[in-house]
């Protein structure tokens, strides 16, 4: 069984005292579909529900090999990660993020399979068009996997909606 929900939750709620409902992705669908799925879930915010997306900002395991500490991040990974950061923080460019394969540099290389990136779309859609993004953590694993973590806050009620990247 896949255990993607509990990894960030065990750090956020070590007492495991919150109810959790895990949602399956539709890997045959695109970012726009998952963004709209998040928009459908948005009313749950009013009931105090935290919508959390767990994945990676970059995830191409076919290019990953053990590396020495301090190895620089490959240019294509850094460029995609930087594009995502700028799209979320500076511009709120939701449409570009939904179409990352076409709009982002190295989009298909950073995510040859979308399953580790689509959770971001759900959380972003749940936050809404006017949500403010905040980078709350950024690190790299093995110079290949970006663990950039974003929090989205709605402008209407200032309720956080998290898209936590493992």
């Amino acid at each position: 069984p896949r255990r993607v929900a509990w990894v960030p939750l065990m750090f956020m709620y070590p007492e495991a005292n919150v109810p959790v409902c895990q949602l399956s992705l539709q890997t045959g669908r695109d970012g726009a579909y998952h963004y709209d799925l998040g928009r459908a879930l948005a009313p749950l915010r009013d009931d105090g529900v935290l919508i959390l997306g767990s994945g990676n900002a970059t995830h191409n395991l076919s290019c990953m090999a053990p590396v020495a500490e301090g190895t620089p991040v490959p240019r294509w990974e850094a460029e995609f990660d930087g594009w995502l950061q700028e799209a979320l923080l500076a511009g709120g460019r939701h449409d570009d993020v939904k179409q990352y394969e076409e709009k982002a540099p190295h989009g298909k290389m950073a995510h040859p399979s979308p399953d580790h990136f689509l959770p971001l779309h759900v959380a972003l859609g749940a936050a809404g068009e006017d949500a403010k993004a905040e980078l709350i953590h950024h690190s790299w694993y093995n110079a290949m996997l970006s663990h950039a973590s974003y929090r989205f806050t709605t402008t209407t009620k200032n309720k956080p909606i998290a898209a936590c990247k493992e």
Side-chain angles (χ1 to χ4, degrees), residues 5-83:
W6 72 267
V7 172
L9 289 174
M10 70 182 208
F11 294 106
M12 294 170 67
Y13 301 99
E15 303 293 321
N17 58 356
V18 297
V20 175
C21 177
Q22 187 167 328
L23 190 70
S24 295
L25 296 171
Q26 303 300 310
T27 55
R29 302 292 193 114
D30 63 4
Y33 173 87
H34 288 85
Y35 182 90
D36 290 342
L37 176 61
R39 290 186 55 97
L41 296 172
L44 294 173
R45 292 188 321 237
D46 296 333
D47 294 332
V49 174
L50 173 67
I51 299 169
L52 180 101
S54 177
N56 289 93
T58 62
H59 195 272
N60 186 335
L61 296 183
S62 67
C63 292
M64 196 163 147
V67 297
E69 188 174 330
T71 298
V73 172
R75 192 186 88 219
W76 61 269
E77 292 261 18
E79 287 177 2
F80 179 86
D81 190 66
W83 173 87

Side-chain angles (χ1 to χ4, degrees), residues 80-93 96-97 150:
F80 179 86
D81 190 66
W83 173 87
L84 178 62
Q85 198 173 120
E86 196 276 327
L88 293 174
L89 299 180
R93 298 189 333 249
D96 286 355
V97 174
Y150 297 90

